[in-house]
Short mmCIF file of all heavy atoms in Angstrom, two decimals:
data_model
loop_
_atom_site.label_atom_id
_atom_site.label_comp_id
_atom_site.label_asym_id
_atom_site.label_seq_id
_atom_site.Cartn_x
_atom_site.Cartn_y
_atom_site.Cartn_z
N ASP A 608 9.12 -16.38 25.25
CA ASP A 608 10.10 -15.81 26.23
C ASP A 608 9.78 -14.28 26.37
O ASP A 608 9.89 -13.72 27.50
CB ASP A 608 11.50 -16.06 25.90
CG ASP A 608 11.88 -17.54 26.01
OD1 ASP A 608 11.09 -18.30 26.70
OD2 ASP A 608 12.81 -17.98 25.38
N LEU A 609 9.53 -13.65 25.22
CA LEU A 609 9.31 -12.16 25.28
C LEU A 609 8.13 -11.80 26.23
O LEU A 609 8.17 -10.92 27.01
CB LEU A 609 9.19 -11.56 23.91
CG LEU A 609 9.31 -10.08 23.64
CD1 LEU A 609 10.81 -9.77 23.88
CD2 LEU A 609 9.08 -9.81 22.16
N ILE A 610 7.08 -12.69 25.97
CA ILE A 610 5.79 -12.35 26.74
C ILE A 610 6.02 -12.79 28.22
O ILE A 610 5.58 -11.93 29.15
CB ILE A 610 4.73 -13.20 26.15
CG1 ILE A 610 4.25 -12.63 24.82
CG2 ILE A 610 3.50 -13.27 27.03
CD1 ILE A 610 3.51 -13.63 23.83
N ALA A 611 6.87 -13.78 28.49
CA ALA A 611 7.01 -14.13 29.90
C ALA A 611 7.88 -13.07 30.54
O ALA A 611 7.63 -12.74 31.77
CB ALA A 611 7.69 -15.53 29.87
N ASP A 612 8.93 -12.60 29.93
CA ASP A 612 9.88 -11.71 30.51
C ASP A 612 9.26 -10.27 30.72
O ASP A 612 9.62 -9.63 31.82
CB ASP A 612 11.22 -11.59 29.58
CG ASP A 612 11.94 -12.86 29.53
OD1 ASP A 612 11.77 -13.63 30.42
OD2 ASP A 612 12.86 -12.95 28.71
N LEU A 613 8.48 -9.86 29.80
CA LEU A 613 7.95 -8.45 29.79
C LEU A 613 6.47 -8.36 30.12
O LEU A 613 5.98 -7.16 30.29
CB LEU A 613 8.16 -7.78 28.42
CG LEU A 613 9.62 -7.78 27.93
CD1 LEU A 613 9.67 -7.25 26.49
CD2 LEU A 613 10.49 -6.94 28.80
N ASP A 614 5.73 -9.42 30.24
CA ASP A 614 4.41 -9.44 30.49
C ASP A 614 3.64 -8.50 29.55
O ASP A 614 2.91 -7.59 29.87
CB ASP A 614 4.01 -9.04 31.99
CG ASP A 614 2.46 -9.17 32.32
OD1 ASP A 614 1.96 -10.00 31.65
OD2 ASP A 614 2.04 -8.28 33.07
N CYS A 615 3.92 -8.60 28.25
CA CYS A 615 3.42 -7.85 27.21
C CYS A 615 2.39 -8.57 26.35
O CYS A 615 2.26 -9.83 26.47
CB CYS A 615 4.57 -7.30 26.29
SG CYS A 615 5.34 -8.54 25.37
N PHE A 616 1.77 -7.89 25.44
CA PHE A 616 0.81 -8.47 24.62
C PHE A 616 1.32 -8.22 23.15
O PHE A 616 1.86 -7.16 22.83
CB PHE A 616 -0.64 -7.76 24.86
CG PHE A 616 -1.71 -8.38 23.94
CD1 PHE A 616 -2.21 -9.61 24.31
CD2 PHE A 616 -2.03 -7.77 22.68
CE1 PHE A 616 -3.27 -10.20 23.46
CE2 PHE A 616 -3.02 -8.41 21.88
CZ PHE A 616 -3.62 -9.54 22.31
N VAL A 617 1.13 -9.21 22.29
CA VAL A 617 1.71 -9.18 20.95
C VAL A 617 0.64 -9.24 19.98
O VAL A 617 -0.29 -10.12 20.05
CB VAL A 617 2.67 -10.26 20.72
CG1 VAL A 617 3.22 -10.30 19.23
CG2 VAL A 617 3.94 -10.19 21.73
N ILE A 618 0.73 -8.41 18.91
CA ILE A 618 -0.15 -8.46 17.80
C ILE A 618 0.63 -8.76 16.50
O ILE A 618 1.61 -7.96 16.27
CB ILE A 618 -1.09 -7.13 17.73
CG1 ILE A 618 -1.85 -6.95 18.86
CG2 ILE A 618 -1.98 -7.26 16.43
CD1 ILE A 618 -2.57 -5.65 18.93
N ILE A 619 0.35 -9.72 15.81
CA ILE A 619 1.03 -10.03 14.57
C ILE A 619 0.06 -10.00 13.31
O ILE A 619 -1.05 -10.57 13.46
CB ILE A 619 1.81 -11.40 14.61
CG1 ILE A 619 2.73 -11.49 13.44
CG2 ILE A 619 0.82 -12.56 14.78
CD1 ILE A 619 3.78 -12.55 13.78
N ALA A 620 0.57 -9.25 12.26
CA ALA A 620 -0.39 -8.90 11.23
C ALA A 620 0.34 -9.31 9.93
O ALA A 620 1.15 -8.48 9.29
CB ALA A 620 -0.80 -7.39 11.17
N PRO A 621 0.14 -10.56 9.44
CA PRO A 621 0.67 -10.97 8.11
C PRO A 621 0.17 -9.99 6.96
O PRO A 621 -1.07 -9.48 6.96
CB PRO A 621 0.06 -12.37 7.84
CG PRO A 621 -0.38 -12.81 9.18
CD PRO A 621 -0.83 -11.58 9.90
N ARG A 622 0.95 -9.75 5.98
CA ARG A 622 0.70 -8.80 4.86
C ARG A 622 -0.34 -9.35 4.08
O ARG A 622 -1.20 -8.58 3.49
CB ARG A 622 2.00 -8.45 4.15
CG ARG A 622 1.86 -7.58 2.98
CD ARG A 622 1.34 -6.19 3.36
NE ARG A 622 1.33 -5.31 2.30
CZ ARG A 622 0.96 -3.98 2.37
NH1 ARG A 622 0.71 -3.50 3.63
NH2 ARG A 622 0.95 -3.26 1.34
N ARG A 623 -0.35 -10.69 3.74
CA ARG A 623 -1.18 -11.23 2.72
C ARG A 623 -2.21 -12.21 3.39
O ARG A 623 -1.89 -13.06 4.23
CB ARG A 623 -0.39 -12.08 1.64
CG ARG A 623 0.51 -11.26 0.89
CD ARG A 623 -0.11 -10.31 -0.03
NE ARG A 623 0.96 -9.58 -0.78
CZ ARG A 623 0.68 -8.44 -1.44
NH1 ARG A 623 -0.62 -7.94 -1.41
NH2 ARG A 623 1.52 -7.72 -2.03
N PRO A 624 -3.58 -12.17 2.94
CA PRO A 624 -4.48 -13.07 3.46
C PRO A 624 -4.09 -14.51 3.42
O PRO A 624 -4.53 -15.37 4.33
CB PRO A 624 -5.72 -12.63 2.74
CG PRO A 624 -5.58 -11.29 2.30
CD PRO A 624 -4.09 -11.12 1.94
N GLU A 625 -3.48 -14.83 2.34
CA GLU A 625 -3.15 -16.28 2.19
C GLU A 625 -2.17 -16.77 3.13
O GLU A 625 -1.92 -17.98 3.36
CB GLU A 625 -2.63 -16.61 0.70
CG GLU A 625 -1.47 -15.80 0.29
CD GLU A 625 -1.93 -14.36 -0.45
OE1 GLU A 625 -3.08 -14.07 -0.21
OE2 GLU A 625 -1.04 -14.07 -1.37
N ARG A 626 -1.50 -15.73 3.95
CA ARG A 626 -0.57 -16.20 5.06
C ARG A 626 -1.35 -16.40 6.36
O ARG A 626 -0.70 -16.84 7.35
CB ARG A 626 0.43 -15.10 5.18
CG ARG A 626 1.48 -15.02 4.07
CD ARG A 626 2.60 -16.07 4.21
NE ARG A 626 3.38 -15.84 5.37
CZ ARG A 626 4.26 -16.82 5.77
NH1 ARG A 626 4.51 -17.89 5.01
NH2 ARG A 626 5.03 -16.51 6.84
N PHE A 627 -2.56 -16.13 6.39
CA PHE A 627 -3.22 -16.14 7.72
C PHE A 627 -3.15 -17.54 8.41
O PHE A 627 -2.84 -17.76 9.47
CB PHE A 627 -4.62 -15.70 7.64
CG PHE A 627 -4.83 -14.30 7.36
CD1 PHE A 627 -6.14 -13.84 6.83
CD2 PHE A 627 -3.80 -13.30 7.60
CE1 PHE A 627 -6.40 -12.48 6.56
CE2 PHE A 627 -4.16 -11.89 7.25
CZ PHE A 627 -5.28 -11.48 6.64
N GLU A 628 -3.61 -18.45 7.66
CA GLU A 628 -3.50 -19.96 8.13
C GLU A 628 -2.09 -20.38 8.34
O GLU A 628 -1.91 -21.10 9.37
CB GLU A 628 -4.16 -20.78 7.12
CG GLU A 628 -5.65 -20.81 7.02
CD GLU A 628 -6.30 -21.20 8.25
OE1 GLU A 628 -5.82 -22.11 8.96
OE2 GLU A 628 -7.33 -20.43 8.65
N VAL A 629 -1.21 -20.03 7.57
CA VAL A 629 0.15 -20.46 7.70
C VAL A 629 0.83 -19.85 9.03
O VAL A 629 1.41 -20.67 9.88
CB VAL A 629 1.11 -19.95 6.62
CG1 VAL A 629 2.59 -20.27 6.71
CG2 VAL A 629 0.59 -20.66 5.08
N VAL A 630 0.46 -18.57 9.25
CA VAL A 630 0.94 -17.96 10.44
C VAL A 630 0.32 -18.59 11.77
O VAL A 630 0.95 -18.61 12.81
CB VAL A 630 0.80 -16.48 10.37
CG1 VAL A 630 1.21 -15.78 11.68
CG2 VAL A 630 1.56 -15.83 9.30
#
Side-chain angles (χ1 to χ4, degrees):
D608 288 343
L609 201 62
I610 291 163
D612 292 344
L613 301 175
D614 187 30
C615 65
F616 185 79
V617 176
I618 301 174
I619 190 161
R622 179 67 175 180
R623 302 291 181 194
E625 54 264 31
R626 289 279 297 168
F627 293 161
E628 286 298 324
V629 175
V630 177

